[in-house]
């Protein structure tokens, strides 16, 4: 099946129907526009089962789910027949006339991919939040913000693993833009399932995100809100941001990113910050504009504490680059673990790291 879809709004959706697959489902999204857009796939039961970023980055624009092989863009699960839903989330303003995309869907076809695009074997690819990577009670060293080729980073997962091993990291959060890489694992450190909510009003890292029906409900709510007041630019984004801080606050660490770093600064002036847990006060010290922005973030954290709002400061490399890539006038590479954040845990697990925020 092939069809063309025109994306004209902040958060919009489209549907396709299939018979129950015997072996696999393959979904491909293509666009010639260089738009930082994320496309999220939900199955007929509302389970978040795939995502691609067709306008940015170097990762494949395909979701392939089978019993033997799955791309990192897809969640291995019992495939269903029925109506699937796609949500389109542009990360910025669209050109007049909208953004055309091409959708292709196949069932029970066989595909092959390089190893760094997929995961194999048993299991759904969902991480275990309770499994201990280490039983030691101590401070653990990690990075709460980084990217790979899954969104707009330059390292694939195998290259990233080498860097993290060399830097002796205990944990890492790959915070891809509005996207989750299923089935990712590293031999040397624990991965926190994470996502960088990337909207025109600001960026928020969600550490400890789960591909459950709650995301579907949040997106439906935001889309409905957008439709009620389509003439107000950004209303759907506001609803999504507020929904995340309200409904995910109990189960995930919500962190406000590089809030003074232009052009990605936080610009929602009337935002209630009580749903957040942490603020990124040191972001990629090698980026030219970061030192001044980091100083402002530290001062803002002091301001909040002096007024009784006790958020906590963390660091994030926000690294996109390979080891040999340097920003202009920098003598150091932008690399995972610079800066590192140390979290005290009674054993290293995803849940313990998230609870370590307090």
């Amino acid at each position: 099946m092939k069809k063309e879809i025109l994306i004209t709004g902040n958060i919009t959706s489209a549907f396709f129907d299939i018979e129950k697959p015997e072996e696999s489902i393959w979904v491909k999204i293509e666009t010639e526009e260089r738009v930082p857009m994320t496309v999220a796939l939900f199955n007929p039961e509302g389970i978040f089962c795939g995502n691609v970023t067709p306008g940015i980055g170097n990762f494949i624009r395909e979701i392939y789910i089978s019993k033997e092989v799955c791309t990192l863009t897809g969640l291995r699960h019992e495939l269903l027949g029925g109506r699937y839903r796609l949500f389109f989330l542009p990360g910025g303003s669209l050109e007049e006339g909208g953004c055309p995309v091409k959708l292709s869907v196949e069932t029970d076809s066989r595909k092959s991919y390089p190893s760094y695009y997929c995961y194999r074997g048993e299991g759904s690819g969902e991480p275990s939040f309770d499994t201990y990577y280490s039983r030691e009670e101590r401070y653990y060293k990690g990075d709460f913000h980084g990217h790979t080729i899954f969104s707009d980073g330059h390292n694939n997962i195998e290259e990233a693993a080498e860097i993290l091993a060399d830097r002796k990291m205990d944990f890492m959060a790959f915070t891809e833009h509005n996207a989750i890489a299923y089935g990712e694992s590293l031999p040397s450190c624990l991965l926190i399932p994470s996502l960088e909510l990337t909207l025109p009003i600001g960026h928020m890292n969600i550490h400890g995100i789960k591909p459950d029906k709650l995301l579907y409900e949040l997106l439906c709510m935001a889309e409905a809100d957008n439709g009620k007041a389509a003439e107000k630019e950004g209303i759907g984004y506001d609803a999504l941001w507020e929904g995340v801080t309200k409904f995910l606050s109990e189960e995930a660490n919500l962190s406000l990113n590089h809030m003074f770093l232009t052009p990605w600064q936080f610009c929602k002036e009337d935002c209630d910050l009580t749903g957040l847990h942490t603020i990124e006060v040191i972001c990629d010290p090698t980026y030219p504009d970061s030192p001044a922005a980091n100083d402002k973030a530290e001062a803002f954290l002091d301001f909040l504490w002096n007024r009784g709002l006790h958020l906590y400061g963390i660091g994030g490399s926000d690294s996109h680059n390979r080891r040999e890539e340097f920003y202009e006038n920098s003598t150091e590479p932008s690399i995972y673990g610079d800066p590192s954040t140390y979290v005290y845990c009674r054993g290293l697990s995803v849940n313990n790291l998230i609870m370590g925020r307090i």
Side-chain angles (χ1 to χ4, degrees), residues 104-115:
S104 302
V105 180
E106 296 177 7
T107 56
D108 299 325
S109 58
R110 288 189 172 271
K111 307 288 182 180
S112 61
Y113 302 92
S115 61

Side-chain angles (χ1 to χ4, degrees), residues 295-312:
D295 288 345
K296 291 179 181 179
E298 292 177 18
F300 183 68
L301 185 65
D302 289 341
F303 170 83
L304 294 178
W305 272 73
N306 287 333
R307 280 154 180 78
L309 182 55
H310 293 166
L311 304 185
Y312 295 84

Side-chain angles (χ1 to χ4, degrees), residues 65-82:
I65 304 170
S66 76
K67 296 178 180 179
E68 297 178 355
V69 178
C70 286
T71 55
L72 295 177
T73 51
L75 173 70
R76 181 183 283 119
H77 65 293
E78 181 67 29
L79 297 176
L80 303 174

